[in-house]
């Protein structure tokens, strides 16, 4: 057993809890009747924090409670729930779960795009509701002849772009920089990209710099035949502006796997017919979630064994 003690703030998959408990002390905050008293008694022993940080953010104030904290192991490739900049400045390593979910999320993105443009959930509902004998489901829009603008051409963005090309969809992208060795046309400006494409695929991480960057102006540029797909973070899209654009048919439709205040989803989005809405299931297959969970465990275990983290984030590079 390692002398590491890992704190898990909110319930998470047994693979993570049991995997860590086999190697070190595990503190499950949610099981403590008096959390404050528990933390006061154990804060000095905590060397790691692990889990999902959507509901409970690991911000500066939270980390400051643990003077011996060394590593925060985040379940998910997006680590907007952790103040990695603070961690980086204070010698705390942050890890995430890249690569193991790339293809799964890209598959889901294409499924959501097809569902949105071809109205698959509503067509299925037409059958299930017994409406087919009264007449066929109305004709839908098409994926063919479209161009996709990828906002955030990272690992997942590239995997989505490869799939889009296989469907005959042209690809362009925007992001912080033009990428060497990438042949897709690059746009420095998101609105200019939106104007030239009719699918906007949001894959950019959630952060202060991407907060609501898909705004009214971008949606209007996308235009009345435009489709917005978001598999990244709800915070990247201005949700009220999106609702207005969908209502006024300023864009054709939206497929969303993520929401600004999930698991709460605005009733207005639910009421709209030109939306396909999923409960953040991008990576949610058994195989992929197990791989992500194992990487959460392996990052802490490797660190505790003195071998360093396996997948540290950019703000906390590991110096061997
Ligand atoms: C997970 C995700 O659903 O990896 C991410 O960034 O958003 C998803 O894969 C989530 O992090 C699990 O809590």
């Amino acid at each position: 057993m390692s002398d590491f003690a890992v704190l898990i703030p909110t319930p998470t998959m047994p693979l993570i809890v049991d995997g860590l408990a086999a190697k070190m002390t595990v503190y499950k905050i949610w099981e403590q009747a008096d959390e404050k008293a528990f933390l006061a008694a154990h804060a000095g022993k905590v060397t790691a924090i692990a889990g999902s940080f959507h509901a409970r953010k690991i911000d500066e104030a939270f980390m400051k409670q643990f003077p011996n904290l060394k590593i925060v192991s985040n379940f998910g490739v997006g680590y907007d729930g952790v103040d990695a900049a603070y961690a980086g400045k204070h010698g705390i390593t942050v890890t995430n779960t890249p690569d193991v979910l790339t293809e799964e999320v890209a598959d889901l993105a294409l499924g959501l795009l097809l569902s949105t443009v071809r109205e698959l959930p509503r067509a299925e509902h037409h059958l299930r509701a017994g409406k087919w004998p009264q007449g066929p489901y109305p004709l839908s829009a098409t994926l063919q002849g479209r161009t996709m603008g990828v906002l955030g051409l990272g690992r997942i963005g590239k995997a989505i772009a490869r799939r889009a090309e296989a469907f005959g969809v042209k690809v362009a992208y925007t992001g912080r920089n033009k990428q060497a060795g990438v042949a897709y046309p690059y746009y420095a400006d998101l609105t200019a990209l939106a104007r030239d494409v009719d699918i906007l695929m949001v894959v950019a991480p959630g952060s202060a710099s991407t907060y609501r960057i898909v705004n009214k102006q971008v949606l209007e540029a996308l235009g009345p035949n435009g489709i917005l797909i978001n598999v990244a973070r709800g915070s990247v899209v201005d949700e009220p502006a999106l609702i207005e654009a969908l209502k006024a048919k300023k864009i054709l439709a939206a497929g969303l796997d993520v929401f600004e205040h999930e698991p709460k989803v605005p009733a207005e989005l639910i009421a709209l017919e030109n939306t396909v809405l999923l409960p953040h299931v991008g990576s949610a297959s058994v195989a992929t979630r197990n791989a992500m969970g194992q990487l959460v465990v392996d990052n802490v275990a490797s660190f505790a064994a003195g071998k360093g983290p396996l997948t540290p984030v950019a703000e906390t590079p590991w110096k061997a």
Side-chain angles (χ1 to χ4, degrees), residues 46-106:
V46 170
T47 42
I49 300 175
S52 247
F53 311 126
H54 297 297
R56 184 154 202 179
K57 305 285 180 215
I58 310 302
D59 56 13
E60 175 176 344
F62 192 80
M63 285 186 263
K64 268 188 172 157
Q65 299 176 92
F66 310 106
N68 297 311
L69 180 62
K70 293 185 175 61
I71 177 168
V72 178
S73 182
N74 178 73
F75 179 63
V77 67
Y79 52 97
D80 45 322
V82 186
D83 187 343
Y86 171 86
K89 279 187 218 121
H90 293 82
I92 301 164
T93 296
V94 178
T95 61
N96 64 344
T97 61
D99 301 321
V100 292
L101 47 54
T102 300
E103 305 302 326
E104 201 76 78
V105 177

Side-chain angles (χ1 to χ4, degrees), residues 51-54 74-80 97 101 105 156 231-233 257-258 262 280-284 288-289 292:
S52 247
F53 311 126
H54 297 297
N74 178 73
F75 179 63
V77 67
Y79 52 97
D80 45 322
T97 61
L101 47 54
V105 177
I156 297 174
V231 293
R233 284 293 180 267
D257 186 41
V258 288
E262 60 188 54
H280 200 152
V281 291
S283 65
T288 293
R289 284 290 170 84
M292 291 163 63

Side-chain angles (χ1 to χ4, degrees), residues 12-61:
T12 189
M13 59 196 300
L15 186 150
I16 296 178
V17 180
D18 300 344
L20 289 168
K23 297 181 185 354
M24 59 193 75
T25 305
V26 168
Y27 299 133
K28 304 176 207 171
I29 301 195
W30 72 95
E31 283 185 356
Q32 310 308 322
D34 184 345
E35 180 184 316
K36 245 181 145 181
F38 180 82
L39 289 182
H42 296 89
K45 290 179 230 150
V46 170
T47 42
I49 300 175
S52 247
F53 311 126
H54 297 297
R56 184 154 202 179
K57 305 285 180 215
I58 310 302
D59 56 13
E60 175 176 344

Side-chain angles (χ1 to χ4, degrees), residues 283-313:
S283 65
S285 71
V286 173
T288 293
R289 284 290 170 84
N290 283 347
M292 291 163 63
Q294 193 57 51
L295 191 48
V296 169
V297 173
D298 293 348
N299 263 304
V300 180
S302 172
F303 195 101
K307 296 181 200 151
L310 302 177
T311 48
V313 304

